[in-house]
Amino acid sequence: HLPKKSPETFNVLVLPGDVSDDLEVFKEAMKMFTASFDLVCYTPGNHDLWLRKKGHLDSLQKLRSLYGLCDALGVRVGPVQLECGSRKVMLVPLLSFYTSDWDKEPELPWCPEQQKE
């Protein structure tokens, strides 16, 4: 149940990533969110940058495509300052990358084999 835009409220959606690795699904989700919220703020997650389909050479190229889609749809991907009366909140997206080379912890016993690769 998504909210309906109204002049009485200003609804903000903060999406911390992992929307979809499929660009078409991502685009449709963002259209749905921007139709329901006054402001949509997004930071890509690792799943958004997965390369399951052909079309991007690497995750950085896909990231640029995601940012282009966000720009075209009015989704904010940079810092945003929100004000409510005298109160101010700054949303600052943090983009980081992960590689299993950094992971020195033992595998979880319940972790599926395909996720260990």
Side-chain angles (χ1 to χ4, degrees):
H1 302 280
L2 295 173
K4 294 190 186 323
K5 288 185 181 180
S6 97
E8 292 85 38
T9 60
F10 188 82
N11 291 314
V12 177
L13 177 64
V14 178
L15 289 169
D18 293 348
V19 174
S20 177
D21 62 285
D22 183 304
L23 284 181
E24 283 305 311
V25 172
F26 178 87
K27 182 177 179 180
E28 291 306 310
M30 291 301 171
K31 284 181 179 180
M32 179 180 64
F33 295 141
T34 56
S36 297
F37 291 88
D38 298 293
L39 177 64
V40 177
C41 302
Y42 166 74
T43 299
N46 64 317
H47 295 103
D48 300 317
L49 301 177
W50 282 358
L51 301 173
R52 293 187 192 221
K53 293 183 177 180
K54 293 186 181 191
H56 294 93
L57 297 175
D58 56 36
S59 292
L60 291 176
Q61 186 183 51
K62 188 171 184 185
L63 176 64
R64 287 189 288 277
S65 293
L66 288 171
Y67 280 167
L69 271 173
C70 287
D71 186 50
L73 296 170
V75 174
R76 300 291 300 268
V77 294
V80 175
Q81 181 172 306
L82 302 172
E83 297 183 26
C84 183
S86 63
R87 297 182 304 183
K88 295 180 182 178
V89 174
M90 190 74 161
L91 297 176
V92 181
L94 175 64
L95 182 62
S96 62
F97 289 87
Y98 167 82
T99 175
S100 59
D101 294 342
W102 302 335
D103 187 358
K104 302 304 178 199
E105 298 294 319
E107 295 292 345
L108 299 171
W110 50 264
C111 186
E113 284 301 318
Q114 65 267 25
Q115 289 186 3
K116 294 179 184 180
E117 298 171 357

